[in-house]
Amino acid sequence: MTAGCDLCRLLAGFDAASVDGASAAPLVWRDDRLAVILVDEPGYPGFARVVWHDHVREMTDLSPQDRDRIMQAVWVVEQAQRETMSPHKVNVASFGNMTPHVHWHMIPRYTDDAHFPNPTWGAKQREPDAATVASREALLPQLRAAIVKKLNHA
Amino acid sequence: MTAGCDLCRLLAGFDAASVDGASAAPLVWRDDRLAVILVDEPGYPGFARVVWHDHVREMTDLSPQDRDRIMQAVWVVEQAQRETMSPHKVNVASFGNMTPHVHWHMIPRYTDDAHFPNPTWGAKQREPDAATVASREALLPQLRAAIVKKLNHA
């Protein structure tokens, strides 16, 4: 654990909590190398992150085997998002400018979401319809179950 | 080739031109499956894209083998960017909201660039120093050479 790293702190909190406990609610799945979490990003239900357990800065600081391992989890999450939430597109990104600890953002995108066709980090295009967002939030239990099932069998 | 797709059109232009010809200047490397290009993004020398040749929408529409193949090229470019341009961080992203044809953005980031610590799609933070940007542009021949060498031996 690296002092001052938000992701190291988050992962340490998961270690201390039951995976299924309420205190670890954002956590969907983890093993000894990585964790999958759902992010509470307003207007973007299904926004997920895959976080590498160790404090590593760049993907190319990981071994090829570890790179493959985290990317396999990224594709599992993308597939689960597509199957359960039918997004128009999935956005996948790893920045780490503020938190240089390897993690991937996977975001189900819809043509009526707040920023489409911009990245979610770009200029907002509209106020999303609350009922539409709520209907997507209702799919989150299915998304969580799909991610867990796929990763348990990966 | 899919009509109306900017990336299909770009790749068709590469097919018609000599790889080393001036008309294909952004092209750094290609084989029958993917192309690596350098993007002329003001203030962001070294901004590269890896573009899959076929018009495929999502990474999870590719076979596992093809996903691995494009990601290997992404890591080669990241490694070359780090070795030749010493960025503070590398940003890696695949959106495809406007052009749903699998492609990856790899962006060398510096604490003094226009948007840091935001993604380059976020709010601009400052006007970058022209001499600093020029000194990074001067590294592009080395970056191109490193990408070509690594991909020829991958």
Side-chain angles (χ1 to χ4, degrees):
Chain A
M1 179 168 171
T2 297
C5 174
D6 288 343
L7 287 175
C8 283
R9 190 160 48 237
L10 181 75
L11 294 167
F14 293 155
D15 287 343
S18 158
V19 174
D20 298 319
S23 63
L27 182 64
V28 178
W29 190 90
R30 68 169 174 186
D31 64 8
D32 59 337
R33 311 313 300 274
L34 60 86
V36 179
I37 62 177
L38 280 184
V39 182
D40 184 18
E41 182 75 18
Y44 287 101
F47 189 140
R49 288 196 187 111
V50 175
V51 185
W52 191 246
H53 194 282
D54 293 338
H55 186 81
V56 172
R57 185 176 185 85
E58 302 278 10
M59 282 293 292
T60 47
D61 289 327
L62 293 173
S63 70
Q65 293 74 20
D66 285 346
R67 279 202 293 269
D68 288 348
R69 187 156 171 177
I70 191 168
M71 296 316 296
Q72 295 314 314
V74 169
W75 310 140
V76 160
V77 172
E78 177 178 297
Q79 192 67 51
Q81 288 170 327
R82 295 179 70 188
E83 289 174 8
T84 61
M85 300 189 69
S86 305
H88 180 73
K89 189 70 189 68
V90 179
N91 289 176
V92 182
S94 179
F95 301 118
N97 301 331
M98 287 194 262
T99 308
H101 176 138
V102 165
H103 62 285
W104 286 86
H105 308 276
M106 279 89 67
I107 314 163
R109 299 298 309 276
Y110 302 88
T111 56
D112 58 5
D113 72 32
H115 298 80
F116 197 90
N118 289 338
T120 57
W121 295 272
K124 190 169 177 174
Q125 300 297 298
R126 66 192 66 80
E127 200 57 48
D129 177 65
T132 302
V133 172
S135 71
R136 291 171 190 151
E137 284 172 349
L139 300 171
L140 293 184
Q142 291 169 249
L143 173 62
R144 296 178 75 99
I147 291 170
V148 168
K149 183 176 178 184
K150 287 174 187 290
L151 284 172
N152 282 344
H153 291 82
Chain B
M1 179 168 171
T2 297
C5 174
D6 289 344
L7 287 176
C8 283
R9 192 162 45 239
L10 180 75
L11 293 168
F14 294 155
D15 287 343
S18 157
V19 173
D20 298 318
S23 64
L27 182 64
V28 177
W29 189 90
R30 67 167 174 187
D31 64 8
D32 59 336
R33 312 312 301 274
L34 60 86
V36 179
I37 62 176
L38 280 183
V39 182
D40 184 18
E41 183 75 18
Y44 287 101
F47 188 139
R49 290 197 186 110
V50 175
V51 184
W52 192 247
H53 194 283
D54 291 339
H55 186 83
V56 172
R57 188 178 183 84
E58 302 278 11
M59 281 294 291
T60 46
D61 289 326
L62 293 173
S63 71
Q65 292 74 21
D66 286 346
R67 279 202 293 268
D68 288 346
R69 187 156 172 178
I70 192 168
M71 295 317 294
Q72 295 314 314
V74 169
W75 311 139
V76 160
V77 172
E78 177 179 297
Q79 193 66 52
Q81 289 170 326
R82 295 179 70 188
E83 290 175 7
T84 61
M85 301 189 69
S86 305
H88 179 74
K89 189 73 190 64
V90 179
N91 289 176
V92 183
S94 180
F95 300 119
N97 300 331
M98 287 194 262
T99 308
H101 174 139
V102 165
H103 62 285
W104 287 86
H105 308 276
M106 280 89 67
I107 313 162
R109 301 297 308 276
Y110 302 88
T111 55
D112 58 5
D113 72 32
H115 299 79
F116 197 91
N118 288 338
T120 58
W121 295 273
K124 190 170 178 174
Q125 299 298 299
R126 67 192 65 80
E127 199 57 47
D129 177 65
T132 302
V133 172
S135 71
R136 290 170 191 153
E137 284 172 349
L139 301 171
L140 294 184
Q142 291 168 247
L143 173 62
R144 295 177 75 99
I147 292 170
V148 168
K149 184 176 177 183
K150 287 173 188 291
L151 285 172
N152 283 345
H153 291 82

